[in-house]
Amino acid sequence: MKNILKKSISQIFSPSDSEAILQEAKKQIIRELDAPSRRLFLQRGLTLGGVAMLTGCDISDNASVETALSKISGFNDRVQGWLFGSTRLAPVYAESMITRPFPFNAFYAEDDAPEVDGNAYRLKIAGLALDKREWSLPTLYKMAQVSQVTRHICVEGWSAIGKWGGVPFGDFLRLIGADLTAEYVSFKCADQYYTSIDMATALHPQTLLALTYDGQILPRKYGFPMKLRMPTKLGYKNPKHIEVIEITNKFTGGYWEDQGYNWFGGS
């Protein structure tokens, strides 16, 4: 059985990709190891089931496993990046399908969401851009805006449909003279959150510098004064309360990504 499975995989993928696929399966199990009962269960002999039979790998040594599995993240990113494209659009919905109330989601309680002074707020631009002036909210509100009714998909398994309005992020990047050949755009936020995306995602027609929700100024709980809304990404890739946007060739990771979540985070 082991040889048959390996033969089937090798007919489709290169040796390096075949190994990466096996490692990806292991990573999905490793994420469950935080629970002591699951850890004990796996360590007692069911280590990854069929994948363990294929690889002969014992996941009882977490340190060595984590080292080995870290390579799969790059593989996932490459595959998702290859599938991604400006013509691949997330579904849009009728306003009658909006989830009300739209759920709050963050790594803290709703009452702990930052209170940003809109009058004093200035969006800062850093890195590879010609125009690094700071942007006030009144200036941003005057820009041509669009809206979209799209689905937010959370990595925890739930989803909700909302209506977001704002400036197409690609238009904003072109306006500030951003280097569109740069690899990454990163974000720092008032709630200490941070993340980064690839330039292709930044320029995707549905990527929005969101300033409103359901026709109203973006509420605090949804990310005031602005968030990046990307229906092509999982929820954790959509930063709220943005303070700094940096265009860069340096990989800066992200809050959840640095804890093991996939960096590309496509939905």
Side-chain angles (χ1 to χ4, degrees), residues 181-215:
T181 68
E183 293 188 62
Y184 310 108
V185 181
S186 67
F187 306 86
K188 296 179 181 178
C189 308
D191 56 2
Q192 306 307 307
Y193 197 77
Y194 63 99
T195 191
S196 56
I197 60 174
D198 61 297
M199 183 58 76
T201 298
L203 298 176
H204 189 275
Q206 289 179 308
T207 298
L208 202 64
L209 198 59
L211 300 166
T212 66
Y213 179 77
D214 203 11

Side-chain angles (χ1 to χ4, degrees), residues 21-38:
I21 291 169
L22 295 175
Q23 298 294 347
E24 163 64 354
K26 288 189 287 184
K27 185 172 184 179
Q28 302 307 315
I29 301 295
I30 287 297
R31 286 181 177 174
E32 299 297 322
L33 288 179
D34 286 340
S37 60
R38 295 186 185 127

Side-chain angles (χ1 to χ4, degrees), residues 38-58:
R38 295 186 185 127
R39 182 186 300 275
L40 182 60
F41 177 69
L42 290 171
Q43 287 181 349
R44 281 180 174 173
L46 293 184
T47 50
L48 295 176
V51 174
M53 289 192 295
L54 290 178
T55 63
C57 177
D58 179 1

